[in-house]
Amino acid sequence: MVDTLLIPGPIVLSANVQKALGTPSLAHTSPEFLTVFSRVLQNTRKVFRADPKKGQPYVLPGSGTLGWDIAASNLICPNEKALVLSTGFFSDSFAECLKLYGADVDKLDAPIGGIVDPSEVESHLQKNKYRLITITHVDTSTAVLTDVKKITEIVHRVSPETFIIVDGVCSIGCEEFEFEKWGIDFALTASQKALGAPPGLSVSMISQRALDFAQHPETPTRSFFGSLKRWSPVMQNNESGKAAYFATPAVQLVNSLDVSLDEILQDTLEKRWEQHKKTSDWFKGKLTNELNLKLVSEPQASASGLTAVYVNEPPKVVSYLKQNGVVIAGGIHSEIGGKYIRVGHMGVSVVDPKLDHIPRAYELIKEAMH
């Protein structure tokens, strides 16, 4: 029997997404594949809530981490300033990526489980000229949810020329997200979390003004594979159904993403957001109210797609669930890593009423605690 995968990604796949992985290989420039890829790129715009024409979506072979490299190598020049809002391990890693490409990084650290004070963000934006700001919508190490809308409002008011970069790896598909309405310049995610596809695809969206900057002749090209000067014309052609080539796309993974995006849009994004929040609230409520456990994330800043919770002897709890067919994750935050567990609740595990994945995970955690 296959274990139920409840880590914060990869997640359990729907039957139809799993089936799409088994489709025969297609030539990546064939009309058959271009029909699929064009639809995937158009639906990526819809899932990100981006403009139907402006800017450009990208679906590239790679993990969510590739999105950091794309932002750091295309949207900021060496020695230009970047402001990073850190709510955990992955925010810190984004800062390291920016430094590697030569950015001058200022990092605002939130208290563990909390968010960066918006007034502190405003103060830094008033004092310095930043090329970009990065916001990790949900940091998977702490399950902290940052209010992206509130931060974008501050940036647009105080420093409108600053590019707004959002790491949406553990949020897009399960948290409210409005690329166009909130005025975001670049957002990145990955296929294996709330998008409900297998790992292996880096999925991102860029605004028109950020794309113009990346493609400007005076903006240096500092990555080969991650170059938006190379990828943008390919994606633009593919989205319009025309063959173009830079590097081979992951054909079967794109097929599976095609199915998963369609499932999300058939449900409607609002319904998906609501279902994830309802499940998250139920699960967190059971853990805190019935088992008297403490969440890593503050209640008002808690993600809908995963839960991070302090437990005694985390390895014992993780092992007990594994013995009973459920896979969860331990902690990875450098300061509290050995004190908590993480449980993912995204995709079909949440939206398929026939599955009892999350209630069963709760019951097993309850058993493990006694």
Side-chain angles (χ1 to χ4, degrees):
M1 186 174 175
V2 177
D3 289 338
T4 300
L5 189 59
L6 295 180
I7 62 174
I11 67 170
V12 176
L13 303 177
S14 75
N16 286 333
V17 171
Q18 186 77 50
K19 186 178 177 183
L21 274 173
T23 54
S25 290
L26 292 171
H28 52 279
T29 56
S30 68
E32 294 85 359
F33 179 68
L34 287 170
T35 298
V36 173
F37 205 8
S38 172
R39 183 168 58 237
V40 164
L41 291 165
Q42 290 167 17
N43 282 342
T44 295
R45 289 183 184 270
K46 294 175 185 176
V47 169
F48 279 63
R49 288 289 177 86
D51 187 280
K53 297 294 182 184
K54 296 177 184 175
Q56 184 59 48
Y58 302 86
V59 176
L60 308 178
S63 70
T65 307
L66 177 61
W68 296 344
D69 279 271
I70 290 171
S73 61
N74 291 273
L75 298 178
I76 186 168
C77 298
N79 301 316
E80 289 185 328
K81 292 187 73 65
L83 182 61
V84 173
L85 310 190
S86 177
T87 49
F89 172 83
F90 292 96
S91 316
D92 289 346
S93 298
F94 201 166
E96 289 302 312
C97 180
L98 285 159
K99 289 176 185 176
L100 183 68
Y101 283 95
D104 179 7
V105 176
D106 290 340
K107 185 159 69 76
L108 300 179
D109 293 306
I112 295 173
I115 59 169
V116 175
D117 186 338
S119 65
E120 202 176 344
V121 178
E122 182 164 348
S123 175
H124 272 72
L125 289 171
Q126 288 170 337
K127 293 175 185 175
N128 299 283
K129 181 179 176 61
Y130 290 104
R131 170 64 70 186
L132 59 82
I133 181 174
T134 73
I135 310 161
T136 302
H137 198 180
V138 170
D139 197 299
T140 319
S141 70
T142 55
V144 168
L145 172 71
T146 293
D147 187 340
V148 171
K149 182 182 179 185
K150 179 180 285 187
I151 300 299
T152 61
E153 288 170 349
I154 293 170
V155 178
H156 290 311
R157 175 168 49 83
V158 178
S159 183
E161 70 280 1
T162 298
F163 290 149
I164 299 171
I165 315 297
V166 178
D167 179 337
V169 168
C170 204
S171 68
I172 294 174
C174 64
E175 305 282 1
E176 180 183 5
F177 188 81
E178 298 280 358
F179 185 93
E180 181 67 18
K181 192 180 292 185
W182 295 347
I184 295 166
D185 289 294
F186 185 75
L188 62 107
T189 190
S191 50
Q192 78 274 14
K193 298 197 184 241
L195 294 187
L201 294 175
S202 173
V203 183
S204 55
M205 181 73 208
I206 195 170
S207 70
Q208 190 59 51
R209 73 166 186 166
L211 180 58
D212 291 343
F213 174 86
Q215 292 187 304
H216 195 280
E218 292 182 9
T219 301
T221 299
R222 294 181 297 131
S223 171
F224 188 79
F225 183 77
S227 168
L228 294 186
K229 287 188 171 91
R230 292 186 173 93
W231 276 119
S232 298
V234 174
M235 293 292 114
Q236 288 160 0
N237 277 298
N238 289 167
E239 189 175 4
S240 63
K242 299 172 187 173
Y245 173 77
F246 168 51
T248 305
V251 173
Q252 276 83 0
L253 294 179
V254 172
N255 277 331
S256 66
L257 181 62
D258 180 40
V259 175
S260 68
L261 293 179
D262 184 64
E263 289 178 346
I264 291 170
L265 294 169
Q266 288 292 327
D267 275 353
T268 75
L269 282 165
E270 285 79 5
K271 184 179 177 183
R272 283 261 169 160
W273 298 338
E274 181 185 345
Q275 287 173 311
H276 282 83
K277 187 174 190 314
K278 183 178 178 182
T279 297
S280 175
D281 289 348
W282 177 87
F283 186 59
K284 289 176 172 65
K286 296 285 275 188
L287 293 172
T288 55
N289 297 329
E290 296 193 11
L291 300 185
N292 295 314
L293 298 175
K294 183 178 184 297
L295 299 177
V296 173
S297 55
E298 294 174 359
Q300 71 275 18
S302 290
S304 297
L306 83 150
T307 295
V309 62
Y310 292 105
V311 297
N312 291 326
E313 300 183 83
K316 175 188 167 188
V317 177
V318 172
S319 177
Y320 184 80
L321 268 72
K322 171 65 177 172
Q323 291 166 21
N324 287 275
V326 176
V327 179
I328 62 172
I332 58 172
H333 192 285
S334 61
E335 294 182 43
I336 56 169
K339 299 179 181 178
Y340 71 106
I341 58 173
R342 295 175 300 143
V343 181
H345 28 83
M346 290 176 268
V348 291
S349 293
V350 169
V351 303
D352 188 338
K354 300 188 296 295
L355 302 177
D356 67 343
H357 292 172
I358 311 308
R360 175 161 167 72
Y362 167 72
E363 291 300 328
L364 289 172
I365 292 170
K366 183 178 179 181
E367 291 173 16
M369 300 295 294
H370 296 92

